[in-house]
Amino acid sequence: MSLSMPSPFKHPTTGVYYLRQRVPNDITAKAIGSLVSLPIDGKPKTIKIGSVVKVSLGTKDPATAKALYRETDVALQAHWKAIRQGPRSLSQKEIQALAGNAYKAFVAIFDKNPGEPIRWQNVIRANAAASVGANVIRIGPDAERREVGLEKRFGDIVDSTLRHQHLIVDGASRRRLIAATERALTEAALTNLGKAQGDYSPDSYIDRFPDWDAPKPPAQPRKQSKSDLDLFKLLDHKFATQSKAVKTKEDYRRSLNDFVSVTGRISADTITKEDVRKWRDEMIIRGLSKKTINGKHLTALKAVLTHGVEEFNLSTNAAHGIQDKRDDKVPVGSKDYTLEQAETILNATFDGTGKALAPHYQRAIFWVPWICAYTGLRVSEVTQLRGRNVREEDGIPFFLITPEDGSTKSKRAWTVGVHKHLIELGLLDMFKAIGDGPAFYRAYPEGTDLTKLPKHRSKDSAERIGNWITHEVLGGSAPGGKPSHAWRHLATTRSRNFDVDKEARDYMMGSRSRVDAREGYGEWSPMVINREINKIGRFAVPDGDYRPTLEQLVPEGLRNERLKQRPSIRTRKT
């Protein structure tokens, strides 16, 4: 006996189609009485759950109803999954992305007609009152009044945001999201106030919010295509016959899964331009950036379809020519740190962090900003450094940056000089004490292929450094919203100020010219890169007593990746 697939329910009197599903038995007690946000033709509708979930699809056409039902059912299944998993904790990045969604919605709604300035001045005053608890009549500690005030004004908005993403979170995450939403909506009010006063200059807040990368619901059972043109078969064949990183394949797979979930197309020969446009438009509505849509998702689909055209019998690449062609955002402000900001951050390294962190994270927060400030290396190229990457020739030390340690953007190796100031701070002594292993992340077992990891641990270290700079030092957004990449811009600016040879600078930063082939000729001796790196003037930051611990944790295998690492006590230089 075969099981029938869920399908729209046709009302016997009106002929209108509905989604009608009984709540699963295993979650009945938790689900009944709760609210769920379900998309109906792209628009969210909040439903209170009874023993049966019933919602109109708003159409009498069976084909349209089937398509709408599929979208709504996917959302409902995601809600069931969230209930089963129970409350989860949100990361800092997720909280800022969700607050950013609220910001974008409130700005978009009033973009054309923001109303009178007094409207937004009142909003700003009301938000400020809520942030200190002045909107509640309550006797108690200031912190308690503030929490009640924020809950009263922003609690419903946050709950709606969470429902829209089918998230059930713990109390601490919800409180942090409420605080982040207060800041985001005050910034939205300031943006709308400017528009109400006739100021439509580029948005000065939007770039600080990361994109919300919504967890996808479990893939629905699908028939396996017998054709070689199955998208995932093409993906596997492409990477089996070409030299590509494992991470790239997984990124492509996630993009294809997203495409299939939106369009229902899995066989390449059934994909039309209309399907690809639908996917692109849906990603725009979702709030993804132009760079993410073009450079990540559409690139993945186009690459797999091109492989089908070149090596199989796919007649055409339906994704060809389709892009997100929205105007690029006008740059607002500088992308690099001011000298004052840079020296503030570097000075703060001598205070470490107030959080109890594992030894490698402590070292990363102290040393990585210094290395990035003088070299302009990408943060992930620094956090994956191992002791074996510190070399010496004719008494001259240098770093060897190599893709074997995890990855490099160019997939090439190169060398970088070590500034004298870094040596005086004790950088080489630190690497010598650490040995051949990693300084800034917990080591993997010997023999692990670092180029084939789903996510290199050095990425976690890079994220912690960015959070430390943003939240503990600057107390706000970094230039361009990229606290680590801003070093790369600053190092480039300073290299010009101190007349560093451009070719040498580009070589050491791993961004050599692809136009002038002669830049690929010859070798770069340690003497040359040492001379050029030391043209750069020192940062006027006095040396402090603190140096992070040299303690190392035993290597940890991939199967223990999610275990918490024990904190260690910071040590000071004696």
Side-chain angles (χ1 to χ4, degrees), residues 246-247 250-251 254 444 451-456 558 561:
V246 173
K247 181 182 181 300
E250 292 310 307
D251 287 343
R254 281 190 287 271
Y444 294 96
T451 66
K452 297 187 182 300
L453 297 170
K455 181 184 178 183
H456 199 294
L558 281 171
E561 191 78 345

Side-chain angles (χ1 to χ4, degrees), residues 81-136:
K81 179 184 177 183
I83 292 176
R84 289 188 176 101
Q85 291 179 335
R88 75 177 185 90
S89 177
L90 294 174
S91 68
Q92 169 67 8
K93 185 174 183 180
E94 287 175 321
I95 285 172
Q96 295 306 319
L98 289 169
N101 286 354
Y103 174 91
K104 294 168 190 174
F106 272 77
V107 169
I109 290 171
F110 299 100
D111 181 58
K112 292 184 179 179
N113 297 299
E116 296 298 321
I118 187 64
R119 174 187 202 174
W120 300 108
Q121 291 165 353
N122 288 337
V123 170
I124 293 167
R125 280 193 291 268
N127 289 356
S131 70
V132 295
N135 59 334
V136 296

Side-chain angles (χ1 to χ4, degrees), residues 192-503:
N192 291 337
L193 173 61
K195 293 178 181 179
Q197 295 171 332
D199 181 3
Y200 276 80
S201 58
D203 193 327
S204 60
Y205 298 109
I206 191 71
D207 284 340
R208 84 171 182 85
F209 298 109
D211 287 334
W212 170 250
D213 189 9
K216 293 294 182 294
Q220 298 298 303
R222 60 174 184 245
K223 295 180 180 179
Q224 182 65 36
S225 171
K226 297 179 180 179
S227 166
D228 287 333
L229 295 178
D230 178 289
L231 282 174
F232 298 94
K233 286 185 178 179
L234 289 175
L235 174 70
D236 291 339
H237 187 271
K238 176 180 175 64
F239 280 82
T241 57
Q242 299 178 11
S243 177
K244 296 282 187 180
V246 173
K247 181 182 181 300
T248 304
K249 181 180 179 180
E250 292 310 307
D251 287 343
Y252 279 18
R253 186 180 299 280
R254 281 190 287 271
S255 295
L256 294 183
N257 276 325
D258 190 66
F259 173 77
V260 173
S261 71
V262 171
T263 65
R265 306 290 192 188
I266 188 172
S267 186
D269 57 353
T270 66
I271 297 172
T272 65
K273 282 192 173 292
E274 182 180 357
D275 294 323
V276 184
R277 285 197 301 271
K278 176 183 177 182
W279 183 41
R280 177 202 61 193
D281 295 348
E282 194 272 343
M283 288 190 286
I284 291 173
I285 293 172
R286 206 189 303 168
L288 299 187
S289 68
K290 178 179 178 181
K291 180 179 179 181
T292 299
I293 293 172
N294 289 339
K296 181 179 180 182
H297 296 307
L298 286 174
T299 292
L301 180 62
K302 289 175 182 178
V304 172
L305 294 180
T306 295
H307 187 70
V309 171
E310 293 176 348
E311 299 209 9
F312 294 87
N313 60 344
L314 183 63
S315 60
T316 184
N317 183 340
H320 179 72
I322 296 180
Q323 288 184 301
D324 179 353
K325 297 181 180 179
R326 292 174 293 172
D327 291 338
D328 290 320
K329 296 173 183 174
V330 178
V332 178
S334 174
K335 293 183 178 180
D336 54 355
Y337 289 121
T338 64
L339 189 58
E340 180 182 4
Q341 285 175 317
E343 291 178 346
T344 296
I345 296 167
L346 296 176
N347 189 63
T349 62
F350 293 109
D351 295 323
T353 173
K355 298 179 180 179
L357 299 179
H360 42 276
Y361 292 141
Q362 293 182 36
R363 288 191 291 271
I365 285 174
F366 182 89
W367 289 111
V368 173
W370 280 102
I371 298 173
C372 290
Y374 276 114
T375 65
L377 286 169
R378 300 174 183 91
V379 66
S380 60
E381 294 163 352
V382 178
T383 54
Q384 68 190 27
L385 281 174
R386 296 184 283 176
R388 68 191 67 180
N389 298 111
V390 182
R391 307 292 179 88
E392 185 176 302
E393 187 175 310
D394 297 328
I396 301 174
F398 59 90
F399 294 123
L400 173 63
I401 309 298
T402 168
E404 294 177 358
D405 294 308
S407 67
T408 60
K409 190 168 184 177
S410 65
K411 297 181 174 58
R412 294 182 294 191
W414 69 93
T415 56
V416 183
V418 182
H419 198 280
K420 290 179 180 178
H421 195 180
L422 297 179
I423 297 174
E424 291 176 13
L425 289 171
L427 179 65
L428 298 184
D429 295 333
M430 182 276 292
F431 274 110
K432 184 177 180 180
I434 290 298
D436 286 345
F440 307 125
Y441 65 90
R442 187 166 187 171
Y444 294 96
E446 190 66 32
T448 301
D449 187 343
L450 301 179
T451 66
K452 297 187 182 300
L453 297 170
K455 181 184 178 183
H456 199 294
R457 288 174 188 159
S458 62
K459 304 286 187 184
D460 292 330
S461 300
E463 290 173 6
R464 285 182 181 268
I465 296 163
N467 288 336
W468 173 75
I469 290 174
T470 302
H471 302 294
E472 292 192 43
V473 181
L474 297 182
S477 181
K482 299 178 179 180
S484 292
H485 198 66
W487 292 120
R488 192 165 173 82
H489 285 280
L490 177 63
T492 302
T493 298
R494 299 187 81 230
S495 73
R496 294 175 182 137
N497 295 343
F498 292 102
D499 295 324
V500 175
D501 177 76
K502 177 185 180 301
E503 189 180 355

